[in-house]
């Protein structure tokens, strides 16, 4: 089968998983039906982001051993089952049930499914790593664009959670169909025209296991870069509508429309920056993304124009998505592809950290200062300081640590016969 067919299956799976970003469609109807506060109605989504790293960590390690298909199918089943079971939470006192099903169960399933296409595709596309991981996670970023209007049409204001039954069934079909196409390339496979020297330049000569990667400073630097990039971007994502209204005087309807448009940039950034990193270099791209966010947040804190707010916010969304598009390829460059699932799966803890810290921090500072100018300025400074990390980060191979490659070489025969 063509490697592009495998990639198409990956995008289909990621579209279904990325539907989780459409949660805001349910928030207000749930508040109205159940009498919940905004914090209560947002809790299932916060829990999803908070626990998904459990799935990526476990799924990455398992798929490195058994292959991608069993893991993505298991993840799809758990994710879809969690969403469908969420339809049982139809009483105000059953928030715990919604958190347990949609939050914990679907969140872990989402993590299992999310990591597999990324780890698989870097093996199929060593010549286009940035582009292909960008396309895969771009599908995740675009999931809400597909799901939001469907969910909006299906929601019954008198029984909001019933919508999850139909949506979960749809997610199940998409993940089973897409996952059926998953497989690793044959041993020793390389794309036509791909040269071994190029592969060595991208770090293929050194294949790190998870434990070895965790003992390098590079793994921690890359995880910190992803966490900081995520913290800045998701802080704005969590408050885009109220910030637009507070800073520019936009109506709630106009702010909501802007948020819908901005979601496109989240998906596009995953492809654009990742593709650019194939040509300009990974760390240059991360340096640029953090620099763009620093400037954008500094100006956002001082704008009164809805048009300028939209342009600056779009740049932040592009950079936020770009982090998820570029980092899988970076990790494969630095640590090889053999254990890519486990190594990048562990890095996803950065998403959970940023996904909790960013929204909590911006909300707390905004409440204390009575507006968004101060929190946006704080984030601008954070992004500016974060630019030091890409400047300090170099692939492990460039550090001339000869003993480690020799140890890895000695282990390779045992890995093959395991």
């Amino acid at each position: 089968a063509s490697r592009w067919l495998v990639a198409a299956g990956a995008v289909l799976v990621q579209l279904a998983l990325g539907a989780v970003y459409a949660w805001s469609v349910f928030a207000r109807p749930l508040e109205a039906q159940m009498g919940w506060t905004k914090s209560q109605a947002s809790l299932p989504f916060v829990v999803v982001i908070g626990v998904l790293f459990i799935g990526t960590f476990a799924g990455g390690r398992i798929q490195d051993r058994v292959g991608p298909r069993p893991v993505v199918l298991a993840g799809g089943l758990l994710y879809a089952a969690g969403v469908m079971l969420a339809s049982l939470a139809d009483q105000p006192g059953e928030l715990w049930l919604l958190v347990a099903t949609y939050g914990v169960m679907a969140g872990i399933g989402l993590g299992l499914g999310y990591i597999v296409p990324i780890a698989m595709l870097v093996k199929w596309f060593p010549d286009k790593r940035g582009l292909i991981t960008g396309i895969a996670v771009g599908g995740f970023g675009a999931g809400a664009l597909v799901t939001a209007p469907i969910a909006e049409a299906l929601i019954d204001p008198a029984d909001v959670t019933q919508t999850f039954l139909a949506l979960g069934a749809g997610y199940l079909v998409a993940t089973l169909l897409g996952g059926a196409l998953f497989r690793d390339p044959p041993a020793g496979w390389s794309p036509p025209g791909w040269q071994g020297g190029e592969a060595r330049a991208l770090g293929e000569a050194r294949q790190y296991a998870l434990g070895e990667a965790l003992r390098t400073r590079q793994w921690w630097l890359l995880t910190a870069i992803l966490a900081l990039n995520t913290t800045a971007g998701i802080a704005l994502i969590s408050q885009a509508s109220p910030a637009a209204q507070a800073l520019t005087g936009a109506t709630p309807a106009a702010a909501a429309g802007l948020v819908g448009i901005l979601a496109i940039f989240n998906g596009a950034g995953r492809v654009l920056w990742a593709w650019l990193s194939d040509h300009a270099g990974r760390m240059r791209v991360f340096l640029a993304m953090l620099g763009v966010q620093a400037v954008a947040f500094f100006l956002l804190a001082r704008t009164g124009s809805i048009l300028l707010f939209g342009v600056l916010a779009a740049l932040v969304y592009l950079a936020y998505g770009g982090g998820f598009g570029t980092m899988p390829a970076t990790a494969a460059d630095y640590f090889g592809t053999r254990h890519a699932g486990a190594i990048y799966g562990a890095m996803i803890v950065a998403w959970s950290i940023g996904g909790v810290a960013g929204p909590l921090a911006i909300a707390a500072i905004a409440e204390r200062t009575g507006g968004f100018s101060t929190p946006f300025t704080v984030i601008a400074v954070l992004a500016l300081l974060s630019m030091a990390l890409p400047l300090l980060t170099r692939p492990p191979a460039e550090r001339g640590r000869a003993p480690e490659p020799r140890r890895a070489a000695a282990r390779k025969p045992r890995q093959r016969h395991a």
Side-chain angles (χ1 to χ4, degrees):
S2 163
R3 60 179 180 162
W4 289 103
L5 186 60
V6 177
V11 171
L12 182 59
V13 168
Q14 294 286 50
L15 281 170
L17 299 177
V20 72
Y21 271 144
W23 178 257
S24 61
V25 172
F26 302 103
R28 193 166 288 177
L30 284 171
E31 291 169 32
Q33 182 197 340
M34 305 291 195
W36 291 340
T37 64
K38 281 181 168 43
S39 295
Q40 287 175 314
S42 66
L43 189 58
F45 177 73
V46 172
V47 171
V48 165
I49 302 301
V51 305
L52 67 85
F53 82 91
I54 299 171
T56 62
F57 181 74
R61 291 178 67 104
I62 297 167
Q63 74 91 39
D64 283 340
R65 296 188 180 116
V66 304
R69 190 178 301 162
V71 181
V72 78
L73 295 179
L77 283 168
L78 186 59
Y79 171 68
V83 174
M84 287 190 282
L85 288 172
S87 65
L88 299 174
D90 57 1
Q91 299 296 322
E94 293 178 339
L95 177 59
W96 67 270
L97 180 57
L98 193 58
V99 169
T101 54
Y102 193 100
V104 177
M105 190 174 174
I108 293 173
L110 189 159
L112 281 170
Y114 177 85
I115 191 61
V116 176
I118 296 168
M120 173 185 66
L121 290 176
V122 294
K123 300 172 185 175
W124 278 107
F125 291 84
D127 51 336
K128 297 180 175 69
R129 272 191 197 149
L131 175 64
I132 200 62
T133 56
I135 289 172
V137 298
F140 187 89
L145 291 176
V146 177
T147 302
I150 297 172
E152 193 80 58
L154 290 175
I155 287 175
D156 176 358
D159 192 1
V160 177
T161 58
Q162 194 59 34
T163 309
F164 294 131
L165 190 59
L167 290 176
Y171 303 157
L172 180 62
V173 171
T175 52
L176 291 180
L177 287 176
L181 298 171
F182 280 30
R183 64 188 181 94
D184 277 333
W189 180 89
S190 64
W194 179 243
Q195 301 298 319
E198 292 172 318
R200 287 182 64 85
L202 284 175
E204 288 292 353
R206 175 72 168 97
Q207 297 286 340
Y208 285 75
L210 174 62
E212 294 173 315
L214 290 174
R215 288 194 291 272
T216 67
R217 63 192 289 270
Q218 284 83 358
W219 187 92
W220 296 95
L221 284 167
L222 294 181
T223 303
I225 290 169
L226 183 60
L228 290 163
N229 192 73
T230 302
T231 299
I234 208 166
L236 176 61
I237 290 171
S238 70
Q239 296 288 339
S241 178
Q245 294 174 56
L247 289 169
T248 71
T251 65
L258 177 61
V259 168
I261 294 169
L262 289 173
I264 299 170
F265 291 91
N266 181 358
R270 296 165 189 249
V271 181
L272 175 64
W273 286 106
W275 168 80
L276 188 60
S277 76
D278 281 338
H279 303 279
R282 313 291 188 211
M283 287 304 109
R284 288 193 186 99
V285 160
F286 275 111
L287 189 67
M289 285 190 286
L290 290 166
V292 164
Q293 292 197 80
V295 173
F297 273 108
F298 181 81
L299 296 176
L300 274 169
R302 290 152 182 81
T303 185
S305 159
I306 185 65
L307 179 60
L308 182 57
F309 183 98
V311 171
L312 294 171
L315 291 173
V316 173
Y317 273 62
L318 281 169
Y320 170 79
F324 292 111
T326 307
M327 190 55 81
T330 309
D333 289 353
Y334 279 40
F335 305 113
T337 59
R338 183 173 301 152
H339 303 287
I343 291 169
Y344 185 64
M347 277 186 189
I348 293 296
V349 70
W351 188 1
S352 292
I353 292 170
V356 173
L360 288 180
I362 193 172
I365 299 171
E367 285 175 6
R368 184 163 296 185
T369 61
F372 288 94
S373 293
T374 301
F376 282 172
T377 302
V378 169
I379 295 170
V381 173
L382 176 68
L384 185 64
L385 295 175
S386 300
M387 292 176 69
L389 294 182
L391 294 173
L392 295 172
T393 307
R394 295 288 182 273
E398 293 184 16
R399 300 182 61 80
R401 296 168 67 176
E404 287 191 358
R406 284 200 295 270
R407 286 200 302 272
R411 285 176 183 160
K412 281 184 183 177
R414 290 200 295 273
Q415 288 174 344
R416 288 196 193 102
H417 296 299

